[in-house]
Amino acid sequence: MTSRVPYAGQRPRDLGGGVRSVPVPIPGSPLGYTLVYAIDSPGGPLLVDAGWNHPDAWQALSAGLSELGTDVSAVRGVVVTHFHPDHAGLAGRVREESGAWIAMHEEDARLVKLMRGFGERAHRDFQSEMLRRAGAPALTLEDGARPEPPAQPDLELRDGDLIDLPGRTLRAIHTPGHTPGHVCLFLEDAARLFTGDHVLPDITPHIGIYPYDRDDIDPLDDFLTSLDKVAALGRTEALPAHERIFDDTAARAAEIRAHHEDKLVRLAAVLAEPLTIWEAAALMRWNRSWEDLSPMLRGMAAGEAAAHLRALEARGLIRRLPEVDPVRFVAVDS
Ligand SMILES: [Zn+2]
């Protein structure tokens, strides 16, 4: 974690080569804003992400596009890098105003479908059972209103698909990890990579596993493989969804990989004694002390701990004790 530029310091920008960026605020979030990109084409601009669904965000997006000489009504399509509300939230509103299509990777489209059918009550029950199985003390998660699920996309993307953008070559690169259907978009004719949340200049995206005790997936391994995948594209300029644009995606991807490898080594070292997911999370290093994390942030930290435990298990370095509830993990050699 390092310095964050506040939203107030951001302006819409023409980045050259037919690419513009509009900072769209995320009300109440320390992340500040989402960078929405518009790529010009003779058939109207294409948006990469759309921002949080909030009146201030909508105002910033539409005013920003006008300031850059285009208009939200001209948008031909929105490619959403992943289903999270700060990326996909406004896509539905853009579609209403312009008739644009919305595209998303099929894995995230599947999650959106699930979320849209999942009531508030079912969501809360799911969370409390997940926390119990992780060994969390009885706690109430604050009931903060859940953001509305994003709009269902019109197009589902797969790895390698070319986006319908006349005159440009824009390819979807499936980069699972932060979400199962996260995509980066590679503007091949300009060696520019829209990285979404996959590769950010100063922070690392949340990599979690839900429910925490799943043993049939390995999102951290997926994420590390996805880092290698974008590094293999050669030297590219990164246009991320937060913070700022930077050079050399591959170098930053290598740093993020090293950060997680380091976290894995330190986590394995505390597992001489069997620990629950919650106990392991409390012993890991976060950007503030465990005591200072809100219940919501502890829940996310537990998700992140769970993803690291699962990766260590898949590498054969730790194992889960049979028939214990809550589940406990221990190093294989102890
Ligand atoms: Zn995200």
Side-chain angles (χ1 to χ4, degrees):
M1 297 278 170
T2 53
S3 59
R4 293 230 168 112
V5 185
Y7 171 67
Q10 297 294 315
R11 297 297 316 150
R13 282 173 64 197
D14 187 337
L15 304 170
V19 178
R20 305 137 200 263
S21 66
V22 180
V24 174
I26 314 171
S29 162
L31 214 44
Y33 54 90
T34 305
L35 289 171
V36 172
Y37 295 97
I39 311 173
D40 290 346
S41 90
L46 177 103
L47 298 189
V48 177
D49 286 329
W52 189 275
N53 189 4
H54 184 279
D56 294 351
W58 174 253
Q59 168 60 26
L61 178 63
S62 32
L65 289 173
S66 306
E67 190 180 324
L68 292 167
T70 180
D71 195 88
V72 77
S73 63
V75 173
R76 64 179 283 109
V78 184
V79 183
V80 168
T81 58
H82 62 296
F83 74 85
H84 287 166
D86 51 329
H87 301 262
L90 276 177
R93 181 86 192 266
V94 173
R95 179 167 64 189
E96 275 167 35
E97 299 285 326
S98 62
W101 43 260
I102 301 172
M104 185 186 287
H105 189 272
E106 59 184 1
E107 289 281 335
D108 274 21
R110 194 173 52 79
L111 287 175
V112 168
K113 211 169 287 169
L114 268 177
M115 285 163 66
R116 296 187 70 86
F118 216 45
E120 194 59 48
R121 177 66 173 278
H123 181 248
R124 211 167 307 154
D125 290 350
F126 169 84
Q127 279 199 312
S128 32
E129 172 58 8
M130 175 171 84
L131 286 163
R132 191 196 63 73
R133 295 207 310 258
L139 54 79
T140 22
L141 289 178
E142 58 259 75
D143 287 333
R146 258 197 323 147
E148 214 191 295
Q152 199 70 53
D154 306 288
L155 301 168
E156 295 190 4
L157 299 173
R158 267 177 243 147
D159 187 41
D161 280 356
L162 276 179
I163 308 298
D164 174 21
L165 184 63
R168 306 299 306 251
T169 309
L170 184 68
R171 195 177 296 280
I173 314 278
H174 184 209
T175 48
H178 180 53
T179 69
H182 190 288
V183 291
C184 292
L185 295 162
F186 187 28
L187 194 55
E188 291 183 358
D189 51 83
R192 283 174 146 173
L193 187 69
F194 298 90
T195 60
D197 282 358
H198 182 50
V199 186
L200 297 165
D202 297 323
I203 55 174
T204 60
H206 174 71
I207 309 298
I209 187 167
Y210 302 93
Y212 301 137
D213 57 354
R214 274 184 82 167
D215 64 357
D216 57 330
I217 53 172
D218 188 348
L220 182 60
D221 184 64
D222 291 344
F223 178 63
L224 298 176
T225 304
S226 298
L227 288 173
D228 294 345
K229 195 170 177 181
V230 296
L233 296 173
R235 194 176 180 106
T236 56
E237 182 188 23
L239 291 81
H242 304 289
E243 303 189 310
R244 58 188 157 72
I245 293 161
F246 60 100
D247 271 333
D248 204 351
T249 316
R252 178 61 185 144
E255 272 176 24
I256 297 173
R257 181 181 246 290
H259 161 85
H260 286 287
E261 293 296 346
D262 187 51
K263 235 174 160 154
L264 286 169
V265 168
R266 278 188 278 113
L267 179 58
V270 300
L271 286 159
E273 297 294 329
L275 295 178
T276 66
I277 293 167
W278 202 257
E279 288 163 344
L283 290 174
M284 288 171 77
R285 209 182 284 166
W286 306 106
N287 62 347
R288 58 192 108 140
S289 76
W290 181 253
E291 288 66 35
D292 290 340
L293 294 177
S294 67
M296 205 260 293
L297 289 175
R298 283 188 195 183
M300 286 181 73
E304 184 106 19
H308 285 77
L309 289 165
R310 172 69 197 124
L312 286 171
E313 180 188 42
R315 291 179 183 191
L317 298 172
I318 66 170
R319 61 188 172 88
R320 56 185 83 202
L321 298 183
E323 287 164 44
V324 294
D325 183 12
V327 61
R328 281 175 192 278
F329 291 88
V330 69
V332 284
D333 49 15
S334 53

mmCIF file of all heavy atoms in Angstrom, residues 31 81-87 178-179 182 196-198 205-206 242, ligand 1:
data_model
loop_
_atom_site.group_PDB
_atom_site.id
_atom_site.type_symbol
_atom_site.label_atom_id
_atom_site.label_comp_id
_atom_site.label_asym_id
_atom_site.label_seq_id
_atom_site.Cartn_x
_atom_site.Cartn_y
_atom_site.Cartn_z
ATOM 1 N N LEU A 31 -10.510 3.708 -2.266
ATOM 2 C CA LEU A 31 -9.934 3.522 -3.599
ATOM 3 C C LEU A 31 -10.133 4.785 -4.453
ATOM 4 O O LEU A 31 -9.415 5.010 -5.423
ATOM 5 C CB LEU A 31 -10.621 2.323 -4.248
ATOM 6 C CG LEU A 31 -9.842 1.417 -5.179
ATOM 7 C CD1 LEU A 31 -8.465 1.085 -4.638
ATOM 8 C CD2 LEU A 31 -10.634 0.142 -5.424
ATOM 9 N N THR A 81 -14.352 -5.483 -17.242
ATOM 10 C CA THR A 81 -13.208 -6.363 -16.947
ATOM 11 C C THR A 81 -13.580 -7.445 -15.941
ATOM 12 O O THR A 81 -13.038 -8.537 -15.989
ATOM 13 C CB THR A 81 -11.997 -5.569 -16.411
ATOM 14 O OG1 THR A 81 -12.385 -4.860 -15.216
ATOM 15 C CG2 THR A 81 -11.455 -4.590 -17.446
ATOM 16 N N HIS A 82 -14.497 -7.124 -15.025
ATOM 17 C CA HIS A 82 -15.028 -8.124 -14.086
ATOM 18 C C HIS A 82 -16.285 -7.562 -13.453
ATOM 19 O O HIS A 82 -16.577 -6.377 -13.590
ATOM 20 C CB HIS A 82 -13.981 -8.556 -13.062
ATOM 21 C CG HIS A 82 -13.456 -7.477 -12.166
ATOM 22 N ND1 HIS A 82 -12.748 -6.404 -12.628
ATOM 23 C CD2 HIS A 82 -13.541 -7.303 -10.815
ATOM 24 C CE1 HIS A 82 -12.395 -5.625 -11.606
ATOM 25 N NE2 HIS A 82 -12.876 -6.148 -10.496
ATOM 26 N N PHE A 83 -17.024 -8.445 -12.753
ATOM 27 C CA PHE A 83 -18.389 -8.086 -12.363
ATOM 28 C C PHE A 83 -18.485 -7.132 -11.172
ATOM 29 O O PHE A 83 -19.579 -6.687 -10.826
ATOM 30 C CB PHE A 83 -19.189 -9.363 -12.063
ATOM 31 C CG PHE A 83 -18.828 -10.025 -10.757
ATOM 32 C CD1 PHE A 83 -19.425 -9.616 -9.564
ATOM 33 C CD2 PHE A 83 -17.882 -11.040 -10.702
ATOM 34 C CE1 PHE A 83 -19.083 -10.215 -8.345
ATOM 35 C CE2 PHE A 83 -17.535 -11.643 -9.493
ATOM 36 C CZ PHE A 83 -18.141 -11.221 -8.313
ATOM 37 N N HIS A 84 -17.385 -6.779 -10.513
ATOM 38 C CA HIS A 84 -17.459 -5.962 -9.292
ATOM 39 C C HIS A 84 -18.148 -4.622 -9.549
ATOM 40 O O HIS A 84 -18.043 -4.057 -10.643
ATOM 41 C CB HIS A 84 -16.059 -5.744 -8.712
ATOM 42 C CG HIS A 84 -15.509 -6.981 -8.060
ATOM 43 N ND1 HIS A 84 -14.191 -7.127 -7.717
ATOM 44 C CD2 HIS A 84 -16.127 -8.137 -7.690
ATOM 45 C CE1 HIS A 84 -14.009 -8.324 -7.155
ATOM 46 N NE2 HIS A 84 -15.168 -8.951 -7.137
ATOM 47 N N PRO A 85 -18.849 -4.092 -8.497
ATOM 48 C CA PRO A 85 -19.717 -2.926 -8.716
ATOM 49 C C PRO A 85 -18.992 -1.650 -9.135
ATOM 50 O O PRO A 85 -19.592 -0.794 -9.780
ATOM 51 C CB PRO A 85 -20.406 -2.728 -7.349
ATOM 52 C CG PRO A 85 -19.622 -3.523 -6.367
ATOM 53 C CD PRO A 85 -18.974 -4.640 -7.140
ATOM 54 N N ASP A 86 -17.708 -1.516 -8.797
ATOM 55 C CA ASP A 86 -16.989 -0.306 -9.225
ATOM 56 C C ASP A 86 -16.570 -0.396 -10.692
ATOM 57 O O ASP A 86 -16.035 0.562 -11.253
ATOM 58 C CB ASP A 86 -15.773 -0.025 -8.317
ATOM 59 C CG ASP A 86 -14.862 -1.216 -8.125
ATOM 60 O OD1 ASP A 86 -15.352 -2.358 -8.139
ATOM 61 O OD2 ASP A 86 -13.641 -1.018 -7.962
ATOM 62 N N HIS A 87 -16.812 -1.524 -11.326
ATOM 63 C CA HIS A 87 -16.486 -1.708 -12.751
ATOM 64 C C HIS A 87 -17.752 -1.853 -13.592
ATOM 65 O O HIS A 87 -17.894 -1.221 -14.624
ATOM 66 C CB HIS A 87 -15.581 -2.936 -12.923
ATOM 67 C CG HIS A 87 -14.315 -2.804 -12.144
ATOM 68 N ND1 HIS A 87 -13.139 -2.390 -12.706
ATOM 69 C CD2 HIS A 87 -14.063 -2.976 -10.817
ATOM 70 C CE1 HIS A 87 -12.202 -2.310 -11.765
ATOM 71 N NE2 HIS A 87 -12.746 -2.662 -10.615
ATOM 72 N N HIS A 178 -8.620 -12.536 -9.364
ATOM 73 C CA HIS A 178 -9.398 -11.545 -8.600
ATOM 74 C C HIS A 178 -10.883 -11.913 -8.675
ATOM 75 O O HIS A 178 -11.603 -11.837 -7.689
ATOM 76 C CB HIS A 178 -9.104 -10.161 -9.172
ATOM 77 C CG HIS A 178 -9.841 -9.051 -8.490
ATOM 78 N ND1 HIS A 178 -9.818 -8.844 -7.131
ATOM 79 C CD2 HIS A 178 -10.629 -8.063 -8.998
ATOM 80 C CE1 HIS A 178 -10.558 -7.778 -6.837
ATOM 81 N NE2 HIS A 178 -11.060 -7.298 -7.950
ATOM 82 N N THR A 179 -11.347 -12.276 -9.855
ATOM 83 C CA THR A 179 -12.646 -12.950 -10.022
ATOM 84 C C THR A 179 -12.409 -14.078 -11.030
ATOM 85 O O THR A 179 -11.421 -14.043 -11.772
ATOM 86 C CB THR A 179 -13.761 -12.009 -10.590
ATOM 87 O OG1 THR A 179 -13.458 -11.697 -11.955
ATOM 88 C CG2 THR A 179 -13.913 -10.735 -9.770
ATOM 89 N N HIS A 182 -12.291 -12.540 -14.674
ATOM 90 C CA HIS A 182 -11.604 -11.270 -14.950
ATOM 91 C C HIS A 182 -10.936 -11.341 -16.327
ATOM 92 O O HIS A 182 -10.357 -12.361 -16.688
ATOM 93 C CB HIS A 182 -10.551 -10.995 -13.867
ATOM 94 C CG HIS A 182 -9.967 -9.612 -13.932
ATOM 95 N ND1 HIS A 182 -9.100 -9.233 -14.932
ATOM 96 C CD2 HIS A 182 -10.137 -8.518 -13.149
ATOM 97 C CE1 HIS A 182 -8.770 -7.947 -14.752
ATOM 98 N NE2 HIS A 182 -9.387 -7.507 -13.673
ATOM 99 N N GLY A 196 -7.618 -3.719 -15.870
ATOM 100 C CA GLY A 196 -8.681 -3.870 -14.875
ATOM 101 C C GLY A 196 -8.084 -3.789 -13.481
ATOM 102 O O GLY A 196 -7.323 -2.867 -13.171
ATOM 103 N N ASP A 197 -8.404 -4.768 -12.631
ATOM 104 C CA ASP A 197 -7.800 -4.836 -11.294
ATOM 105 C C ASP A 197 -6.668 -5.856 -11.240
ATOM 106 O O ASP A 197 -6.071 -6.058 -10.184
ATOM 107 C CB ASP A 197 -8.854 -5.250 -10.246
ATOM 108 C CG ASP A 197 -9.766 -4.107 -9.850
ATOM 109 O OD1 ASP A 197 -9.564 -2.977 -10.343
ATOM 110 O OD2 ASP A 197 -10.686 -4.350 -9.050
ATOM 111 N N HIS A 198 -6.394 -6.531 -12.347
ATOM 112 C CA HIS A 198 -5.419 -7.635 -12.329
ATOM 113 C C HIS A 198 -4.014 -7.141 -11.977
ATOM 114 O O HIS A 198 -3.338 -7.736 -11.139
ATOM 115 C CB HIS A 198 -5.430 -8.330 -13.693
ATOM 116 C CG HIS A 198 -4.513 -9.506 -13.799
ATOM 117 N ND1 HIS A 198 -4.488 -10.522 -12.870
ATOM 118 C CD2 HIS A 198 -3.573 -9.830 -14.728
ATOM 119 C CE1 HIS A 198 -3.575 -11.419 -13.230
ATOM 120 N NE2 HIS A 198 -3.008 -11.017 -14.349
ATOM 121 N N PRO A 205 -4.653 -6.713 -6.005
ATOM 122 C CA PRO A 205 -6.089 -6.975 -5.893
ATOM 123 C C PRO A 205 -6.376 -8.047 -4.845
ATOM 124 O O PRO A 205 -5.525 -8.880 -4.539
ATOM 125 C CB PRO A 205 -6.466 -7.455 -7.296
ATOM 126 C CG PRO A 205 -5.229 -8.067 -7.834
ATOM 127 C CD PRO A 205 -4.099 -7.249 -7.262
ATOM 128 N N HIS A 206 -7.587 -8.004 -4.327
ATOM 129 C CA HIS A 206 -8.030 -9.018 -3.375
ATOM 130 C C HIS A 206 -8.158 -10.367 -4.086
ATOM 131 O O HIS A 206 -8.823 -10.473 -5.121
ATOM 132 C CB HIS A 206 -9.388 -8.595 -2.807
ATOM 133 C CG HIS A 206 -10.019 -9.613 -1.934
ATOM 134 N ND1 HIS A 206 -9.537 -9.906 -0.678
ATOM 135 C CD2 HIS A 206 -11.072 -10.445 -2.130
ATOM 136 C CE1 HIS A 206 -10.273 -10.862 -0.133
ATOM 137 N NE2 HIS A 206 -11.220 -11.202 -1.001
ATOM 138 N N HIS A 242 -7.646 1.469 -11.580
ATOM 139 C CA HIS A 242 -7.493 2.354 -10.420
ATOM 140 C C HIS A 242 -6.081 2.921 -10.424
ATOM 141 O O HIS A 242 -5.204 2.427 -11.124
ATOM 142 C CB HIS A 242 -7.740 1.588 -9.112
ATOM 143 C CG HIS A 242 -9.063 0.904 -9.055
ATOM 144 N ND1 HIS A 242 -10.261 1.575 -8.921
ATOM 145 C CD2 HIS A 242 -9.388 -0.409 -9.140
ATOM 146 C CE1 HIS A 242 -11.257 0.707 -8.916
ATOM 147 N NE2 HIS A 242 -10.758 -0.514 -9.055
HETATM 148 ZN ZN ZN B 1 -12.472 -5.604 -8.394
#
